[in-house]
Amino acid sequence: MTALRRLDLWLPRLLHACTRSWHRAGTCGYLNTSHHATLMSQHRWKSVFHCQSRGFTLSTHSLQSRDDDSSSGRLTGLTEDDVEDEDEDFIDDREVEELFQQQVPAGVGDGQQRIFIVHPDVKWGRRKQHLTTAELMMAEAVGLVNTLDNWTVVDKIILSTKTPENKKIFGKGNFLHLTEKIKQTPGITAVFVNVERLSALSERELEEAWGVKVLDRYSVVLHIFRCNARTKEAKLQISLAEIPLLRSRLRNELANLDQQGGGARYIGGSGETFTEVQQRLLKEREMKIRFALERLRKKRHLLRSQRKHKDFPIISVMGYTNCGKTTLIKALTGDSGLQPRNQLFATLDVTVHAGQLPSRMTVLYVDTIGFLSQLPHQLIDSFSATLEDVKHSDLIIHVRDISHPETVNQKVNVLNVLKNLQIPDRLMSSMIEVHNKVDLIDNYQSSEPKALPISALKEQGLDELRRQVEEEIVKSTGKHILDLKVNLSTSQLSWLYKEATVQDVHVIADEGSAVVKVIISAAAYGRYKKLFTGR
């Protein structure tokens, strides 16, 4: 009966999640509604996560127009939700909110959470971490928990293991010691096992042994994302990333049900077992989310095309979480609206900010989601559409927190993610590596001669960075640096100011002309010649 009660809590929300889209079409119509109502009558779903908004968004801004004050280097942007055509709106806000709220993976209850962190220190084998230490990985796990409002680390422990692939992770002696320590620590609401993913079997075994909810890095990071989601795309991506957790939960519930002989029972003569119904509904939910995200991807492609049409070079700023990306972009653009935070995943959005290079060329800096070690590929896959803009950039700036003791390991993780995203070779080879926070290191000396030392916070080294960015942008975009002679009685000069980057104007008064030094794209130069020289 215990397993049936847990199933009772889970099944109704799955059924309700697809009601709007499929029940009207008759997909779920053959279910025995009276039996379903009986199941739903005993319990009510309760939200398992209490999220405090910090005002984050996860959106991509498109370029609309130049700011009237061109010296500020800022541009006005729109979110994707702002530009959606209501006549073609395939999924409204209420449906997105239902998908987002109704199927929250099992959590640890509302209000304050008291977390016990366990880090398995693998001594040898393929799972051993060679570029970091157990202490540093534990520190990162503590940082993840502290990122969440009302979550507190009450205790933590690092335990060695030779068998991380076992369902209980640790050997018998260490596991008994750990279990005793957890049960003797008062007020624990969950145990955070600092591994990438726990199998459904491990999760069930550990929860039964410890009597509290067990979390892994996937579920904790995903919960951080969930608390900060604001746009349609963010909520849909998070809902998609939660599918593996829901499937894991389903396997645990059905395993308990099968032990009591209930897993093979048919629902109201429909010919489907409980197992088959839940698997089908979860699959239908996943298909609906993927369809919605594909439509939003097309919207994103349109916005990207609009930016390209305006001929502004795009620079993606990437790096490990909390490396200083947002602080750097704020320093490069003077955008006072950016508010960097000193915490993991302070930026969960992908936004675009305009700045000017020494030549007065306007470029767009794309602020991206920070990366994290041991971040499961399924989570990266769910957010790959958000990072798709990176592939279409003209340049990548890789920002490293050079003061961090794990800076080498962080670089490896970022490069591995970029590799998994299949970033073009041209972008990887031209990437500018920036060593940020050098002001925190006494007598800093770089072992990598091509890296640029800077302090984004104190705005040190930014002139050299801008110079290198301009050099790479001119090279990657195929822009030309030309001296053009213009007739001042025509609109040539004003056209160049609008369509190209004017660096210098030397007026020849006697001739009523000027020699103008410009940076101009091949396409714009072709239009210029056609308009003013007839060629």
Side-chain angles (χ1 to χ4, degrees):
M1 288 302 296
T2 300
L4 281 172
R5 289 191 189 100
R6 287 199 296 266
L7 184 63
D8 181 16
L9 289 171
W10 196 87
L11 178 59
R13 304 308 291 184
L14 256 186
L15 292 170
H16 184 68
C18 67
T19 298
R20 290 187 58 150
S21 298
W22 297 294
H23 184 69
R24 285 177 295 184
T27 306
C28 300
Y30 55 78
L31 294 179
N32 187 307
T33 53
S34 61
H35 178 71
H36 181 204
T38 302
L39 282 175
M40 293 179 66
S41 64
Q42 296 179 1
H43 299 281
R44 290 183 178 272
W45 177 268
K46 188 176 182 180
S47 174
V48 295
F49 285 133
H50 179 66
C51 302
Q52 296 290 335
S53 168
R54 294 192 182 88
F56 293 120
T57 60
L58 187 60
S59 63
T60 298
H61 290 245
S62 68
L63 179 63
Q64 185 184 39
S65 62
R66 288 184 183 271
D67 195 290
D68 291 338
D69 182 7
S70 60
S71 63
S72 70
R74 296 182 59 190
L75 297 170
T76 304
L78 294 174
T79 65
E80 290 189 5
D81 288 344
D82 291 332
V83 300
E84 281 189 5
D85 183 347
E86 292 184 1
D87 293 335
E88 297 180 2
D89 200 6
F90 61 97
I91 182 167
D92 61 31
D93 292 337
R94 185 171 60 176
E95 286 181 292
V96 171
E97 200 61 31
E98 285 179 358
L99 284 168
F100 185 59
Q101 296 293 348
Q102 290 175 350
Q103 279 306 137
V104 182
V108 292
D110 294 334
Q112 185 178 11
Q113 307 304 331
R114 295 169 54 82
I115 310 296
F116 189 106
I117 304 179
V118 181
H119 178 72
D121 185 16
V122 182
K123 290 302 183 182
W124 58 70
R126 65 182 180 85
R127 297 196 182 186
K128 177 177 174 57
Q129 293 287 327
H130 296 282
L131 297 176
T132 185
T133 65
E135 289 74 20
L136 288 171
M137 295 193 71
M138 172 61 82
E140 188 170 83
V142 171
L144 287 171
V145 173
N146 289 339
T147 297
L148 291 159
D149 289 341
N150 299 323
W151 284 43
T152 306
V153 177
V154 294
D155 205 351
K156 58 188 178 182
I157 187 171
I158 297 173
L159 277 181
S160 62
T161 178
K162 302 175 183 177
T163 57
E165 68 281 352
N166 286 2
K167 61 184 179 181
K168 291 186 177 180
I169 300 176
F170 302 98
K172 184 176 180 181
N174 273 349
F175 186 78
L176 289 174
H177 170 68
L178 176 60
T179 300
E180 183 178 354
K181 186 172 180 63
I182 290 172
K183 290 189 174 182
Q184 288 179 352
T185 304
I188 293 175
T189 59
V191 175
F192 174 16
V193 182
N194 191 30
V195 298
E196 184 177 307
R197 281 296 305 274
L198 289 169
S199 68
L201 179 59
S202 290
E203 184 181 338
R204 185 170 70 249
E205 289 280 343
L206 297 177
E207 288 182 352
E208 289 177 355
W210 298 336
V212 293
K213 178 64 185 173
V214 175
L215 308 169
D216 53 25
R217 285 172 75 90
Y218 187 91
S219 54
V220 171
V221 172
L222 192 55
H223 179 45
I224 295 172
F225 286 1
R226 165 170 277 276
C227 286
N228 298 326
R230 292 296 172 268
T231 65
K232 283 184 181 181
E233 185 176 23
K235 292 177 179 181
L236 289 169
Q237 286 172 332
I238 289 165
S239 297
L240 180 62
E242 286 170 348
I243 294 292
L245 296 182
L246 295 172
R247 286 206 171 100
S248 175
R249 181 182 176 188
L250 174 59
R251 284 193 291 269
N252 283 340
E253 296 291 352
L254 293 178
N256 290 332
L257 190 61
D258 286 339
Q259 290 175 2
Q260 301 178 32
R265 295 176 183 172
Y266 293 93
I267 299 179
S270 68
E272 284 187 304
T273 64
F274 278 115
T275 304
E276 292 167 341
V277 168
Q278 292 181 85
Q279 288 174 342
R280 174 176 57 78
L281 293 176
L282 194 56
K283 182 64 176 177
E284 288 174 344
R285 170 184 167 82
E286 181 180 4
M287 290 174 63
K288 181 178 178 66
I289 294 170
R290 288 189 183 278
F291 176 74
L293 282 171
E294 176 61 21
R295 293 294 297 273
L296 284 178
R297 187 193 66 80
K298 291 178 180 179
K299 293 284 186 182
R300 179 186 294 279
H301 177 74
L302 175 61
L303 298 179
R304 185 168 59 244
S305 298
Q306 291 172 348
R307 290 201 297 266
K308 283 292 187 181
H309 176 69
K310 291 183 179 289
D311 208 24
F312 291 111
I314 298 172
I315 302 166
S316 289
V317 182
M318 313 192 77
Y320 206 82
T321 182
N322 205 30
C323 68
K325 300 184 302 297
T326 304
T327 303
L328 176 58
I329 293 176
K330 182 176 183 178
L332 291 172
T333 63
D335 190 343
S336 59
L338 286 169
Q339 298 298 326
R341 294 171 180 261
N342 183 26
Q343 60 180 203
L344 299 179
F345 293 113
T347 299
L348 290 183
D349 53 355
V350 175
T351 54
V352 177
H353 310 268
Q356 289 189 333
L357 298 179
S359 65
R360 297 191 293 275
M361 182 195 308
T362 299
V363 294
L364 304 180
Y365 293 99
V366 180
D367 194 2
T368 61
I369 298 170
F371 298 149
L372 187 73
S373 66
Q374 289 190 308
L375 194 61
H377 291 300
Q378 288 169 314
L379 194 52
I380 288 292
D381 291 344
S382 296
F383 284 85
S384 61
T386 304
L387 296 172
E388 186 178 333
D389 277 340
V390 176
K391 296 181 183 179
H392 301 276
S393 302
D394 297 298
L395 181 67
I396 293 176
I397 297 177
H398 175 198
V399 183
R400 290 175 59 186
D401 177 359
I402 204 64
S403 69
H404 197 284
E406 268 194 293
T407 184
V408 174
N409 189 36
Q410 291 178 353
K411 175 180 179 178
V412 171
N413 277 290
V414 170
L415 294 181
N416 284 338
V417 172
L418 293 177
K419 182 180 178 181
N420 291 333
L421 290 172
Q422 298 181 326
I423 301 298
D425 291 339
R426 64 173 180 82
L427 284 174
M428 296 300 292
S429 61
S430 65
M431 183 165 55
I432 296 176
E433 183 174 309
V434 168
H435 287 185
N436 192 24
K437 306 186 185 181
V438 295
D439 55 305
L440 301 179
I441 303 176
D442 293 330
N443 301 318
Y444 167 79
Q445 289 185 336
S446 175
S447 59
E448 302 171 74
K450 291 187 177 181
L452 292 180
I454 69 162
S455 169
L457 185 63
K458 296 189 175 181
E459 300 192 8
Q460 298 173 358
L462 299 189
D463 289 342
E464 177 60 20
L465 175 57
R466 289 189 181 97
R467 189 193 66 78
Q468 283 205 24
V469 167
E470 183 168 283
E471 183 180 312
E472 291 295 339
I473 284 296
V474 170
K475 187 187 307 180
S476 66
T477 59
K479 291 181 179 291
H480 304 290
I481 302 177
L482 301 174
D483 289 324
L484 301 176
K485 192 171 183 179
V486 302
N487 187 339
L488 294 177
S489 65
T490 70
S491 60
Q492 285 176 277
L493 184 58
S494 61
W495 191 95
L496 288 172
Y497 268 109
K498 181 180 179 182
E499 300 293 336
T501 300
V502 176
Q503 293 186 294
D504 186 45
V505 179
H506 176 65
V507 177
I508 307 173
D510 294 342
E511 299 181 7
S513 63
V515 176
V516 184
K517 186 176 183 180
V518 297
I519 299 177
I520 188 168
S521 68
Y525 185 45
R527 294 195 300 272
Y528 172 82
K529 289 192 295 183
K530 185 176 181 180
L531 282 170
F532 300 109
T533 68
R535 291 183 292 166

